[in-house]
Amino acid sequence: MAYELHYWPSIQGRGEFVRLALEEAGAEYVDVARRPLADGGGARNLAQLMDELAPAPFAPPILVADGVVLAQTANILLFLGHRHDLAPRDEIGRLLVNQLQLTIADVVDEAHNTHHPLSSGLYYEDQKDAAKAYAEHFRKERIPKYLGYFERILKGNGESGAGLASEALTYADLSLFQVVRGLQYAFPIAMESMAPKLEATLALVERVAQQPRIAAYLASERRIPFNEEGVFRHYPELDGEI
Ligand SMILES: N[C@@H](CCC(=O)N[C@@H](CS)C(=O)NCC(=O)O)C(=O)O
């Protein structure tokens, strides 16, 4: 059975956390909206499908597996992590990885707010001043606080490249990889200046990038490049450049 992933076809966005888990698991999946329009692909078909699915999801990413419809990124990953050994087997271990993923979801929301601090319904151009102010706080206070938190966990786990929850990689490690790469894309100057304090985090990011399946995925056309439609957007003025 191939999983169906339903997510906006032109961005990494929140769907990328699911894509990374599916890729690392070696799972068979169809990224449905990336198929041609005639085969049910495209954003319009995705919007229509959301009205038809039951139970109704609020927003993508959505995973359809064996007739089960799941939404909310962290929820999908909880499901996939258990099925594909990307999380500890014991209950507390699973909840801990979920807790890490939910914290990553918080970072993702705030990263999104740097370019849409007033409303997702407004254009970036209509909220640029607020975005500048929000992004400055995000760069100076929130990124160091969030990444400092993950760094402390990783340092506490010892060995260079160790995962957040165990020596074996979990989906939370894949997600931290994605967040760091996203922040490096969006805020290259800020992230470069923080690099000396993120030794363990950057070692983990490297380890994830070198996992054979992830490396193959990153080099493939399945990996959509970062762009200014997704969650992590590079606007130089938000990185303190202008
Ligand atoms: N908490 C949800 C957020 C889902 C979400 O915001 N999805 C975005 C794309 S990344 C979307 O299409 N949102 C539509 C909306 O909020 O109206 C998750 O983590 O999956």
Side-chain angles (χ1 to χ4, degrees), residues 114 130-140 187 237-239:
T114 60
K132 251 185 163 176
Y134 191 105
E136 186 174 354
H137 286 287
F138 184 67
R139 287 193 324 268
K140 293 186 175 161
F187 305 102
E237 62 273 23
L238 299 189
D239 196 17

Side-chain angles (χ1 to χ4, degrees), residues 29-237:
Y29 73 100
V30 185
D31 204 337
V32 179
R34 295 194 69 196
R35 294 191 307 201
L37 210 59
D39 293 339
R44 197 176 308 165
N45 278 321
L46 170 54
Q48 188 183 326
L49 178 99
M50 284 210 297
D51 289 338
E52 293 162 7
L53 288 173
F58 176 73
I62 299 154
L63 188 79
V64 179
D66 295 330
V68 176
V69 179
L70 292 173
Q72 290 288 351
T73 312
N75 195 38
I76 295 170
L77 290 173
L78 187 64
F79 172 80
L80 288 176
H82 189 61
R83 279 196 155 190
H84 294 281
D85 278 337
L86 289 172
R89 303 302 301 171
D90 65 292
E91 185 187 19
I92 300 304
R94 288 175 66 197
L95 290 176
L96 174 65
V97 173
N98 184 47
Q99 179 176 312
L100 291 163
Q101 183 63 41
L102 289 167
T103 308
I104 286 168
D106 292 341
V107 186
V108 171
D109 282 350
E110 290 189 31
H112 172 268
N113 291 349
T114 60
H115 45 82
H116 280 79
L118 299 183
S119 169
S120 302
L122 291 174
Y123 290 111
Y124 169 60
E125 284 66 28
D126 296 331
Q127 44 192 324
K128 263 179 132 172
D129 288 344
K132 251 185 163 176
Y134 191 105
E136 186 174 354
H137 286 287
F138 184 67
R139 287 193 324 268
K140 293 186 175 161
E141 293 155 25
R142 303 301 285 170
I143 302 183
K145 185 166 181 178
Y146 277 121
L147 294 188
Y149 165 73
F150 292 119
E151 178 75 10
R152 278 197 304 284
I153 296 177
L154 292 170
K155 278 232 166 87
N157 291 351
E159 209 180 307
S160 171
L164 284 164
S166 59
E167 177 47 34
L169 292 181
T170 69
Y171 63 81
D173 297 308
L174 306 179
S175 296
L176 183 58
F177 159 83
Q178 175 64 12
V179 158
V180 171
R181 283 285 170 97
L183 292 173
Q184 286 171 330
Y185 173 78
F187 305 102
I189 299 174
M191 288 298 286
E192 186 60 39
S193 74
M194 274 176 246
K197 291 186 175 163
L198 298 176
E199 207 181 309
T201 305
L202 296 175
L204 175 68
V205 166
E206 210 39 53
R207 179 178 165 200
V208 170
Q210 285 172 12
Q211 295 303 300
R213 285 173 175 158
I214 296 293
Y217 169 63
L218 296 177
S220 76
E221 288 192 354
R222 296 191 302 286
R223 171 80 164 180
I224 300 166
F226 284 109
N227 60 48
E228 280 52 62
E229 302 293 319
V231 170
F232 298 104
R233 303 185 185 188
H234 179 54
Y235 294 129
E237 62 273 23

